[in-house]
């Protein structure tokens, strides 16, 4: 473990975010890392509350994630899903047997009056996750996607329609009245820096930033982002497609512009080195790296680079 003395908050959602969160968990002391996770892509399916981003982050931290799909649990079986499909239940959102157990337990606790924060804390305890994982809010916030085929709830767009409709924008229903989950603002206020993981800026990070109070809290912190766009493409997910359909050329520079008001620096892949000068012109420091995280060692290596950058930057601020 290296550079573990800093206290860091990470904002994450999706597979890329979960990978860097896992890397940060490798290099920081458990008490020094809080991961705040998007919950605006949560939805109710066959009567169960599904929290895709929270589960992806927690499964990854617990070494339970399915490496082939990027979602769900490894060594999964599908008996319940096949049985449900056979009796006419929707089959466009796949639920494995062990993943289904997570949703059943979450729904049971929520029905009993637990908050999503309490359920997440219980899962982390059961799965021996040592770092703190917090949902962005315990309130209901839902992402809707404006498309050329009408407004679609996020999972309808993302999973059922496989991101095929053309995106025209987004709204986060309920966000205006939502409150940060217990511990979210406290973690940001107490940390030395915030890391925006390489998650989708539009539908993973924007919902977190839209919760009242969070963006303002970030304004007082050193904030470092890692670009999810490498060579004008995303490794996974529709972020590049979304940028294009919104009339913005997908690039690390576009990500920097997206976060321009809140970040001090951005890590971008070496293949995008020609964009570094334009990013610097925005007043944002650029750091070239190998941003692709193929295996667990890559996650730790990238996290170490980010933490070392923050350590040096903060030290320079003190002098």
């Amino acid at each position: 473990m290296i550079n573990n003395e800093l206290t860091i908050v990470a904002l994450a959602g999706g597979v890329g975010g979960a990978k860097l969160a896992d890397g940060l968990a490798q290099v920081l002391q458990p008490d020094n890392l809080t991961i705040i996770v998007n919950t605006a892509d949560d939805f109710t399916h066959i009567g169960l509350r599904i929290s895709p981003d929270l589960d992806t982050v927690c499964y990854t931290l617990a070494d339970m994630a399915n490496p082939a799909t990027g979602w769900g649990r490894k060594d999964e079986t599908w008996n319940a899903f096949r049985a449900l499909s056979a009796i006419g239940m929707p089959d466009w959102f796949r639920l494995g047997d062990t993943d289904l157990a997570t949703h059943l337990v979450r729904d049971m606790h929520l029905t009993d009056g637990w908050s999503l924060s309490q359920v997440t804390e219980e899962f982390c305890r059961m799965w021996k996750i040592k770092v703190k994982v917090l949902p962005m809010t315990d309130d209901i916030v839902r992402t809707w996607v404006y498309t050329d085929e009408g407004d679609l709830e996020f999972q309808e767009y993302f999973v059922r329609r496989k991101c095929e409709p053309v995106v025209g924008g987004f709204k986060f229903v309920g966000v205006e009245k939502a409150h940060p989950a217990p511990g979210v603002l406290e973690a940001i206020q107490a940390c030395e820096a915030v890391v925006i993981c390489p998650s989708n800026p539009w539908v993973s990070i924007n919902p977190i930033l839209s919760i009242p109070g969070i963006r303002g809290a970030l304004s007082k912190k050193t904030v470092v982002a890692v670009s999810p766009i490498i060579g004008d493409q995303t490794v996974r997910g529709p972020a590049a497609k979304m940028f294009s359909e919104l009339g913005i050329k997908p690039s690390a520079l576009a990500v920097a512009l997206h976060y321009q008001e809140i970040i001090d620096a951005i890590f971008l892949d070496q293949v995008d080195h020609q964009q570094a000068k334009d990013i610097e012109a925005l007043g944002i420091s650029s750091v070239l790296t190998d941003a692709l995280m193929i295996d667990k060692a890559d996650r730790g290596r990238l996290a170490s680079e980010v933490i070392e950058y923050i350590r040096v930057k903060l030290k320079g601020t003190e002098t």
Side-chain angles (χ1 to χ4, degrees):
M1 187 172 291
I2 58 174
N3 300 320
N4 58 2
E5 74 277 13
L6 294 177
T7 302
I8 299 294
V9 163
L11 310 184
V15 176
K19 287 182 176 180
L20 187 59
D22 182 58
L24 292 167
Q26 293 180 42
V27 301
L28 292 167
Q29 294 284 3
D31 289 344
N32 288 3
L33 176 61
T34 299
I35 303 164
I36 299 171
V37 182
N38 169 49
T39 60
D41 61 352
D42 289 17
F43 77 125
T44 299
H45 184 64
I46 59 170
L48 300 174
R49 168 79 173 269
I50 315 292
S51 296
D53 280 4
L54 267 177
D55 291 343
T56 296
V57 169
C58 288
Y59 289 162
T60 301
L61 291 169
D63 195 24
M64 296 162 56
N66 187 326
T69 61
W71 51 267
R73 293 176 60 164
K74 64 182 179 183
D75 303 322
E76 188 61 279
T77 55
W78 302 92
N79 296 310
F81 177 75
R82 283 193 288 268
L84 288 166
S85 299
I87 58 175
M89 291 292 102
D91 60 1
W92 58 270
F93 194 89
R94 292 170 60 82
L95 296 173
D97 295 332
T98 58
D99 194 31
L100 181 61
T102 298
H103 308 314
L104 287 168
V105 171
R106 175 186 293 117
D107 207 67
M108 177 188 72
H109 286 319
L110 292 174
T111 301
D112 287 342
W114 290 31
S115 67
L116 186 60
S117 296
Q118 292 171 316
V119 178
T120 303
E121 182 179 5
E122 176 67 2
F123 283 160
C124 288
R125 185 191 66 78
M126 289 192 303
W127 296 333
K128 304 185 187 311
I129 297 171
K130 296 180 179 178
V131 302
K132 182 169 289 185
V133 180
L134 300 175
M136 66 182 194
T137 181
D138 284 335
D139 297 313
I140 302 296
V141 177
R142 294 291 177 265
T143 296
W144 280 76
V145 185
Y146 300 128
T147 80
D148 61 343
E149 299 180 19
D151 298 352
L152 297 175
E153 194 170 9
F154 180 71
Q155 296 299 342
E156 186 84 11
Y157 160 81
F158 184 62
V159 179
R160 188 167 191 171
R161 296 302 317 281
K162 305 182 188 306
C163 306
E164 291 174 349
V166 176
V167 169
F170 311 92
K171 62 179 176 182
F172 308 120
V173 177
V175 75
E176 297 86 357
K177 297 181 179 179
H179 301 86
V184 166
L185 290 182
E186 293 84 351
I188 296 173
Q189 289 161 359
C191 76
E192 291 165 282
V194 174
V195 176
I196 299 179
C197 293
S199 304
N200 188 310
W202 300 105
V203 294
S204 292
I205 301 300
N206 267 12
I208 301 175
L209 299 177
S210 298
I211 299 292
I214 291 184
R215 183 180 284 269
L218 293 185
S219 67
K220 303 171 185 174
K221 297 294 175 180
T222 294
V223 181
V224 176
V226 176
S227 174
I229 306 264
I230 299 175
D232 299 343
Q233 297 293 325
T234 40
V235 179
R236 303 178 64 99
K241 178 177 182 288
M242 289 174 171
F243 270 105
S244 294
E245 291 171 357
L246 292 169
I248 305 167
K249 184 180 185 298
S251 65
L253 174 61
V255 176
L257 279 164
H258 186 85
Y259 294 137
Q260 184 175 6
E261 294 181 357
I262 58 172
I263 64 173
D264 300 282
I266 185 168
F267 277 64
L268 62 157
D269 196 89
Q270 293 168 350
V271 300
D272 297 316
H273 65 92
Q274 293 182 334
Q275 299 172 35
K277 185 176 180 180
D278 290 334
I279 290 173
E280 297 277 350
L282 299 173
I284 299 170
S285 298
S286 62
V287 184
L288 296 176
T289 185
D290 177 1
L292 193 60
M293 294 177 283
I294 296 174
D295 54 26
K296 195 172 183 69
D298 285 334
R299 303 171 192 174
R301 183 259 313 154
L302 181 56
S304 292
E305 292 177 19
V306 172
I307 296 303
E308 180 63 11
Y309 173 84
I310 292 171
R311 187 188 67 77
V312 171
K313 179 176 177 59
L314 292 177
K315 187 176 181 179
T317 303
E318 292 173 354
T319 58

